[in-house]
Amino acid sequence: MLKYCEMSTIVESTLEDLRAEIQAAEQSGDQTQQAASCIEAGRVLFSRNQYQDAAGYYQQASQLCIHQDQLKLKVKALNHLGVCWIMTGEPDKALNSLTCALESLGPDPEPGIQAAIQGNLGLTYSALQDHKRAFQAHKAVMETAEKLGDESLQVNALINLADCSLQDKSYRPAQGFALVALDLAKKLKSSPAEMVIYDLLGMISSRLGDLRSALDYHQQAWQAAKEAGSLLKQGIALANQGLALEGLTDLDQAASKLEEATEIFSRVSPEYL
């Protein structure tokens, strides 16, 4: 595992090389290479949670792709641009970028990229509080995943179906989607997916008034987060345990869990909060 400072040095070196590539491609008039290098620069910045800077490169890439043979690059850039706007809390911009991406796919799109755009549209609609459209978007992703036999994509779609059902206060359907997702995540031995699903099941159980089950699920979310090595998710799981214990009037244990969560959050880099 590289330390943060070492990783930053490598990323900066990569960005420097990519900026040189972009400049060289611009000087030679190679717009396709320039767009590809912009997309890669955006990816590097996105990996560092520098979403605004990444968006700038993705925007530049999308504007460079004006010919038919550049459509795949344009769609990729617009899809990633939409994700940047989701991450910066600007769903209106995300909706515009993702709609353009969908419209640029052409009559015979690749199912994988189409599903990615639809999934991101679902997240955008959720951010816009349009839960019905969010549900339809994630349902379309689920249908594509089933056709492709892509179980990892199915897990993602089920998680999102559960989440937008939860936001729409449809608690029983949300629980059903989450339980199916959990079975599939266990089959795939995906700890990252399991920690998200357990957390979702905990929140759903809380809404259903079953605080004991909520506590159990959040404890399992903590264990899965520990296995996945996610300090932030461990803190969130502990905080949720504290809230469930508070609801169960076990105030001493609640205070203890919340203190543990606070201690963990103090150790997490601010850029990940």
Side-chain angles (χ1 to χ4, degrees), residues 14-229:
T14 303
L15 282 174
E16 186 178 338
D17 293 341
L18 287 168
R19 289 180 183 124
E21 285 181 17
I22 292 166
Q23 186 175 11
E26 183 179 11
Q27 290 172 348
S28 67
D30 189 344
Q31 288 185 311
T32 299
Q33 181 56 54
Q34 189 180 351
S37 296
C38 282
I39 289 172
E40 181 60 17
R43 185 196 65 78
V44 171
L45 287 163
F46 189 93
S47 72
R48 294 190 64 196
N49 303 323
Q50 295 177 245
Y51 305 121
Q52 287 283 358
D53 292 336
Y57 279 105
Y58 289 133
Q59 182 78 58
Q60 185 179 349
S62 69
Q63 292 170 344
L64 286 164
C65 298
I66 57 176
H67 301 297
Q68 189 68 27
D69 61 353
Q70 298 171 321
L71 274 182
K72 285 186 179 180
L73 272 180
K74 182 177 182 178
V75 168
K76 185 176 181 179
L78 286 168
N79 183 43
H80 290 317
L81 179 60
V83 177
C84 287
W85 295 137
I86 292 170
M87 299 304 294
T88 58
E90 299 175 87
D92 290 321
K93 289 184 178 180
L95 183 60
N96 181 61
S97 297
L98 294 166
T99 300
C100 288
L102 209 56
E103 291 171 349
S104 300
L105 280 174
D108 189 25
E110 293 181 13
I113 184 63
Q114 184 176 26
I117 296 167
Q118 288 171 328
N120 290 326
L121 275 170
L123 297 176
T124 301
Y125 284 127
S126 286
L128 291 166
Q129 303 299 308
D130 190 342
H131 305 304
K132 302 300 182 187
R133 286 188 180 181
F135 186 90
Q136 290 303 315
H138 293 308
K139 184 179 177 183
V141 176
M142 184 64 188
E143 290 169 355
T144 299
E146 289 174 337
K147 288 177 184 176
L148 295 173
D150 188 333
E151 292 184 325
S152 293
L153 186 58
Q154 287 179 48
V155 170
N156 288 343
L158 286 163
I159 288 172
N160 286 320
L161 284 167
D163 185 56
C164 67
S165 296
L166 171 61
Q167 292 182 52
D168 201 29
K169 300 181 180 179
S170 301
Y171 302 132
R172 288 300 180 189
Q175 188 178 52
F177 288 125
L179 288 170
V180 175
L182 181 61
D183 286 343
L184 195 50
K186 286 181 176 179
K187 175 186 174 183
L188 297 174
K189 298 180 180 178
S190 175
S191 292
E194 285 182 41
M195 67 182 177
V196 173
I197 298 164
Y198 281 129
D199 191 47
L200 260 176
L201 284 166
M203 290 188 286
I204 294 165
S205 296
S206 290
R207 301 300 190 280
L208 289 169
D210 186 355
L211 292 175
R212 183 57 60 186
S213 291
L215 178 60
D216 290 342
Y217 280 130
H218 289 309
Q219 287 173 335
Q220 291 177 86
W222 175 84
Q223 183 62 44
K226 187 177 179 182
E227 290 174 7

